[in-house]
Amino acid sequence: MATDTDQRKTLVLTGASRGIGHAAVKRFSREGWRVITCSRQAFSEDCPWPAGPEDHIQLDLSDQEGVGIAIAEIRHRLEANGGRLNALVNNAAISPKLEGGGRMNSIETPMHVWRDVFQVNFFAPIMLARGLFKELATAKGSIVNVTSIVGSRVHPFAGTAYATSKAALAALTREMAGDFGPYGIRVNAIAPGEIETSILSPGTEKLVETIPLRRLGQTSEVADTIFFLCSDQSSYVTGSEIHINGGQHV
Ligand SMILES: NC(=O)c1ccc[n+]([C@@H]2O[C@H](COP(=O)([O-])OP(=O)(O)OC[C@H]3O[C@@H](n4cnc5c(N)ncnc54)[C@H](OP(=O)(O)O)[C@@H]3O)[C@@H](O)[C@H]2O)c1
């Protein structure tokens, strides 16, 4: 029987307006996916992609109530795709710095900053994954949490709240893989190193001299790995954290 259900694969992606998320939305769109994006600003016409404005939800992930409202809206929008969500990529994150760009360490970081960072970088991902669980299970979907190399080592520029939120997200990825796996949902993380985006701090050039591949990573290289983890090519990969850092972790 004919049906008017949208047959495209679907992705919910947080933080698509710049950097890694932007490269990802372009990659998935090119592959014919429908991408629903969430971030604080309205859709930017500076760097558009097909169907961007209609499928963008303005959302501040630090607002717990707002996340709940957005989940209801996303679920409603996914009805057009038969209630299927093929992938959730938790990419958006904040990394506060001191005035002047200095590192916020564990002695001085104000607790309210710590809480905000954990809400955006850690609680929002699990809230979204749980809120969209039914749609992910229906599609036997894939979740990718964007962690960081700083989750496993002290980094000269990354603040403590940011680093510990990423370490927690890596641990959560492992826990989720165990819990979501029996429902056919794979959960993996990618841990970028120094990727050429606006999040990088002055002084990164010096650091690059110590990276085995001797260069920054490109956002498209990260997007390729995210796409791999959301595709059938990685159908037996779950609970992994893939380093994308030119060998910086060795
Ligand atoms: N760049 C690197 O070298 C690097 C290295 C390791 C890990 N990572 C990780 O990779 C991911 C992407 O990094 P990036 O460098 O591409 O970041 P970015 O350029 O700073 O972009 C962050 C994105 O997240 C959105 N966002 C930020 N705060 C938000 C909030 N409270 N609510 C909703 N959306 C929010 C932003 O959009 P709006 O401004 O519109 O909200 C933007 O689209 C992050 O998880 C980051 O920790 C990056």
Side-chain angles (χ1 to χ4, degrees), residues 148-155 163-164 166-167 170 191 241 243 245 249:
S148 170
I149 189 168
V150 311
S152 55
R153 68 198 51 216
V154 174
H155 188 277
T164 52
K166 293 297 186 179
E241 186 178 29
H243 300 289
N245 61 24
H249 68 292

Side-chain angles (χ1 to χ4, degrees), residues 76-202:
H76 173 67
R77 292 189 188 202
L78 288 172
E79 285 169 14
N81 300 82
R84 287 177 296 106
L85 178 60
N86 299 89
L88 165 66
V89 176
N90 287 307
N91 165 71
I94 50 173
S95 178
K97 306 261 189 284
L98 293 174
E99 239 171 84
R103 176 176 180 270
M104 285 187 142
N105 68 25
S106 43
I107 301 166
E108 289 156 346
T109 302
M111 288 314 295
H112 69 89
V113 171
W114 216 303
R115 285 191 198 97
D116 261 0
V117 168
F118 264 72
Q119 171 57 35
V120 174
N121 298 6
F122 177 74
F123 288 117
I126 186 62
M127 288 173 77
L128 287 167
R130 284 160 50 138
L132 300 171
F133 180 85
K134 185 161 173 278
E135 287 74 13
L136 284 161
T138 302
K140 302 254 178 286
S142 172
I143 299 172
V144 178
N145 293 324
V146 179
T147 60
S148 170
I149 189 168
V150 311
S152 55
R153 68 198 51 216
V154 174
H155 188 277
F157 313 127
T160 298
Y162 175 75
T164 52
S165 74
K166 293 297 186 179
L169 188 59
L172 177 66
T173 301
R174 186 181 67 232
E175 296 292 323
M176 288 172 73
D179 295 337
F180 286 50
Y183 300 90
I185 304 168
R186 295 183 296 108
V187 188
N188 292 289
I190 54 146
E194 314 301 325
I195 309 299
E196 203 164 347
T197 63
S198 59
I199 216 171
L200 292 177
S201 301

Side-chain angles (χ1 to χ4, degrees), residues 11-85:
L11 163 67
V12 169
L13 169 69
T14 62
S17 55
R18 5 173 239 280
I20 291 168
H22 194 67
V25 74
K26 291 204 344 220
R27 173 72 204 262
F28 280 78
S29 298
R30 236 183 13 248
E31 302 281 348
W33 286 53
R34 176 185 180 196
V35 187
I36 298 175
T37 57
C38 310
S39 55
R40 289 168 302 186
Q41 309 300 320
F43 184 77
S44 165
E45 293 299 342
D46 295 347
C47 197
W49 59 89
E54 307 94 86
D55 268 337
H56 181 68
I57 296 172
Q58 212 171 335
L59 166 68
D60 186 340
L61 292 164
S62 69
D63 169 12
Q64 284 185 50
E65 204 181 319
V67 175
I69 294 167
I71 287 169
E73 172 62 23
I74 294 167
R75 297 190 69 189
H76 173 67
R77 292 189 188 202
L78 288 172
E79 285 169 14
N81 300 82
R84 287 177 296 106
L85 178 60

